[in-house]
Amino acid sequence: MDPVPALEEPLKQPLKSVLGPATAKVMAEHLGLDTVGDLLHHYPRRYEERGQLTHLADLPMDEHVTVVAQVADARLHTFASAKAPRGKGQRLEVTITDGSGRLQLVFFGNGVHKPHKELLPGTRALFAGKVSVFNRRLQLAHPAYELLHGDSEETVESWAGALIPIYPATAKLESWKIGKAVQTVLPTAQEAVDPLPGSLLEGRGLLPLPEALLKIHRPHTKADIADARARLKWDEAFVLQVALARRRHADAQLPAVPRRPRPDGLLTAFDDRLPFTLTEGQQKVSREIFDDLATEHPMHRLLQGEVGSGKTMVALRAMLAVVDAGGQAAMLAPTEVLAQQHHRSITEMMGELAEGGMLGGAEQATKVVLLTGSMGAAARRQALLDLVTAEAGIVIGTHALIEDKVQFHDLGLVVVDEQHRFGVEQRDALRGKGKQPPHLLVMTATPIPRTVAMTVFGDLETSVLDQLPAGRSPIASHVVPAADKPHFLARAWERVREEVANGHQAYVVCPRIGDDIDETDAKKAGKKSPEDEAEKRPPLAVLDVADQLAKGPLQGLTVEVLHGRMHPDDKDAVMRRFAAGETDVLVATTVIEVGVNVPNATAMVIMDADRFGVSQLHQLRGRVGRGSAPGLCLLVSEMPEASAARQRLNAVAATLDGFELSRIDLEQRREGDVLGQAQSGARTSLRVLAVIEDEEVIAEAREEATAVVTADPELERLPGLRTALAALLDDEREQYLEKG
């Protein structure tokens, strides 16, 4: 698909040639903006009205903010300091107000002269800087500012509209400087080529693209902003959905071998041995999977299920069905610990059915082999041989399975556990090992709201397991505010001792391993932050915590450690001892986040819980309460009561519903991840589209996109859409789509 190069020329101009090298360099480095088109798509975050001021009362801490306010008073103080011993040091304190609150600005040294002349009481200006706390009051130190008065031509020109756009800015480039740069390139918006088909624009009453760009940057009314945003949301949703629809269309053209289970084969024998009946959800999802496996095109299905909802059982039955039909099945796990564990639990579930070719094996039996990077040469050779000869129907492994040496007799199904750890390239490498593309089942225990599934996993059909199997116990979760109430932490360790005294076991999870503080932590440790001590201290480490617990509150219990840097054999040995009940307390990093299954472990204490994401905490918590005894999860944090981090932890403690938590998680991270600048500073492909609120737009865009691609797979009649797709699918976006 060759994009049509002549179309987008004016928007492809590098910013260097339009704004000059210095500004262009800052835009590229800090905002990821390189061309005129990039800048036109850097939309305002919000708008200030001339007569209406930002609320100083609810400024976020530690963030770069832009406010419009009026100077209430300004005082120059002199003081003595090391640099100015004779009382010659100067400090200018300016108080600004917006009716809702007051904010202190401070300027020091030679920096006081200009603001002292300009910031007179009654002056109105835009101020930008980072909010910090000094003497319990909010302040901006050395903020940049732009006076709002009508005497200079330029200011009048830039602020002519009643609505002042406030752009996502950085410390190096204030909002109004971005605004001026946008003014410079705005005339080029007329040349923007519209990616949406004309019929769609008319059918939905959407603005043409040039008009939408003009209105989002220079709105005259709030209605202008609403119209522009509605249009630009459609652009994002539609182009993204077309990319996904094209991938689905291409996949649907691939041939696959239909795999139907034999009526009296391995699957029937397995079902007959099960000591319990499958939940309704498991039966329904299994039917969807078996229907897909029976078709002549490869299945592409995402299986979502809460931790412990029995996904592995559903996946295993699909694998057995494929073995029944003469094929082989491969299960790909993100870590060795998890691959070993899947291998253990699957061979246990299958019993003699997993002993193909051995004495005592059942007649329909097959072999289940494990393949990981750290296996001994002999075991590895045998496993590879079993795969080539079809002796082994099922193989479970890490990405060692993707290596060139690994050959299958007839690969029919690939099951990928925890999708977010595998990119599409790896899925494709495994797929290439089949004579024809194998069927694909992707499993995730991270609940994904429907719209995100449509956006991120839009090339997969989705099945959801939302019932927990009978016999799973509820998990009680509590936040332990270690700084405000130290006696709560002492009580937490008592609770762990009580669980152990009742014959159970416990996990203690820490954010890092040992003396490996990275530079960012060291920098944090050096900076004074409003969340004071909790932020300055480097995150707690497994080795230190294990040592303190064994000598202190958990003295007399057997405490072991588990982390990612251990040798795989040592990790496995530690897990085995814990699974066998020989260890009382396992102090670990997040290596235990996925798939570790020890039904006797009932308590988990997560140290520095505020350092983990919402869905990660939910995953971790799913490791307890896996047996018949109720689970307990304690989230330890030193963050103050009012902080956003504590509110996040309270949300996790308040609900066990993963879908609810994934919504909270997205809403909290949205500003960073889904809109505007990603936290890394890289662009994400979503700017005005809010995955959660815009569910309808995404669903409708998916339908429209599917119709367009079905009618014209190569988009020959839509050159503008092809150009937009080419821009979306440059490498960075391609990765965004694929890594999900």
Side-chain angles (χ1 to χ4, degrees), residues 61-62 130 483 511-512 517-540 608-612 637-640 643-646 648-649:
M61 283 308 310
D62 253 359
K130 201 164 182 185
R512 53 185 193 97
I517 306 179
D518 65 3
E519 285 176 28
T520 51
D521 283 326
K523 278 190 196 133
K524 263 190 192 164
K527 79 171 192 206
K528 293 274 191 290
S529 141
E531 314 286 23
D532 285 354
E533 300 310 317
E535 271 284 319
K536 276 190 303 206
R537 174 178 62 59
L540 290 168
D608 281 342
D610 47 86
R611 314 251 175 165
F612 298 97
S637 169
E638 296 189 357
M639 294 307 242
S643 62
R646 270 286 283 284
R648 207 169 63 227
L649 295 181

Side-chain angles (χ1 to χ4, degrees), residues 629-694:
L632 171 69
C633 178
L634 301 172
L635 306 167
V636 180
S637 169
E638 296 189 357
M639 294 307 242
E641 185 84 56
S643 62
R646 270 286 283 284
Q647 285 158 10
R648 207 169 63 227
L649 295 181
N650 292 339
V652 174
T655 176
L656 289 172
D657 178 342
F659 286 91
E660 176 56 30
L661 287 173
S662 65
R663 287 184 85 95
I664 292 169
D665 193 18
L666 261 165
E667 276 161 2
Q668 295 222 330
R669 290 192 332 214
R670 201 185 75 202
E671 187 76 334
D673 283 1
V674 190
L675 289 184
Q677 302 158 271
Q679 279 130 335
S680 62
R683 289 171 303 185
T684 78
S685 57
L686 301 183
R687 299 175 181 229
V688 280
L689 196 66
V691 176
I692 293 216
E693 292 155 24
D694 297 324

Side-chain angles (χ1 to χ4, degrees), residues 134-282:
F134 182 72
N135 280 346
R136 303 207 158 182
R137 286 165 66 192
L138 293 183
Q139 70 166 23
L140 292 181
H142 278 283
Y145 61 88
E146 173 90 346
L147 301 179
L148 292 178
H149 46 59
D151 49 34
S152 83
E153 269 307 294
E154 196 180 354
T155 317
V156 175
E157 182 49 43
S158 331
W159 308 117
L163 292 160
I164 301 171
I166 303 292
Y167 289 89
T170 73
K172 297 274 187 301
L173 206 61
E174 293 88 19
S175 168
W176 54 86
K177 289 189 180 154
I178 297 172
K180 284 178 183 166
V182 170
Q183 292 301 329
T184 310
V185 300
L186 205 51
T188 323
Q190 294 305 331
E191 319 280 335
V193 178
D194 209 315
L196 298 189
S199 57
L200 194 155
L201 283 179
E202 284 159 34
R204 298 196 174 265
L206 297 171
L207 298 179
L209 183 58
E211 195 182 331
L213 289 171
L214 211 61
K215 284 188 168 169
I216 199 149
H217 291 295
R218 290 288 301 270
H220 291 295
T221 62
K222 287 187 175 168
D224 283 354
I225 301 171
D227 292 349
R229 290 181 73 88
R231 159 63 218 245
L232 296 164
K233 276 180 185 182
W234 256 95
D235 266 25
E236 283 177 18
F238 181 73
V239 175
L240 188 58
Q241 290 302 337
V242 166
L244 294 165
R246 291 193 68 198
R247 186 174 299 155
R248 285 198 301 276
H249 186 267
D251 285 345
Q253 308 309 307
L254 298 170
V257 181
R259 309 280 178 176
R260 298 183 183 86
R262 291 203 310 275
D264 54 349
L266 193 52
L267 180 62
T268 312
F270 175 76
D271 284 349
D272 291 345
R273 306 179 30 125
L274 282 180
F276 52 81
T277 50
L278 298 174
T279 64
E280 272 171 51
Q282 284 174 317

Side-chain angles (χ1 to χ4, degrees), residues 329-377:
M331 184 180 220
L332 208 51
T335 62
E336 295 212 351
V337 171
L338 198 53
Q340 286 159 342
Q341 188 170 314
H342 275 314
H343 182 253
R344 250 197 315 272
S345 63
I346 283 175
T347 44
E348 279 167 19
M349 283 196 255
M350 287 175 65
E352 75 246 29
L353 295 176
E355 293 168 4
M358 300 183 205
L359 281 170
E363 58 178 308
Q364 297 102 329
T366 185
K367 230 175 171 183
V368 179
V369 297
L370 176 69
L371 192 62
T372 62
S374 66
M375 281 169 74

Side-chain angles (χ1 to χ4, degrees), residues 350-429:
M350 287 175 65
E352 75 246 29
L353 295 176
E355 293 168 4
M358 300 183 205
L359 281 170
E363 58 178 308
Q364 297 102 329
T366 185
K367 230 175 171 183
V368 179
V369 297
L370 176 69
L371 192 62
T372 62
S374 66
M375 281 169 74
R380 186 179 171 80
R381 244 195 326 273
Q382 184 59 50
L384 291 173
L385 190 65
D386 287 341
L387 286 178
V388 173
T389 59
E391 192 78 11
I394 294 178
V395 57
I396 294 157
T398 53
H399 26 250
L401 279 177
I402 300 171
E403 290 173 12
D404 295 342
K405 296 192 204 66
V406 182
Q407 290 183 350
F408 291 84
H409 176 70
D410 179 13
L411 180 61
L413 170 67
V414 175
V415 178
V416 179
D417 192 12
E418 292 302 327
Q419 152 71 16
H420 52 279
R421 320 257 168 141
F422 284 107
V424 165
E425 318 82 73
Q426 291 158 308
R427 291 193 328 215
D428 286 347

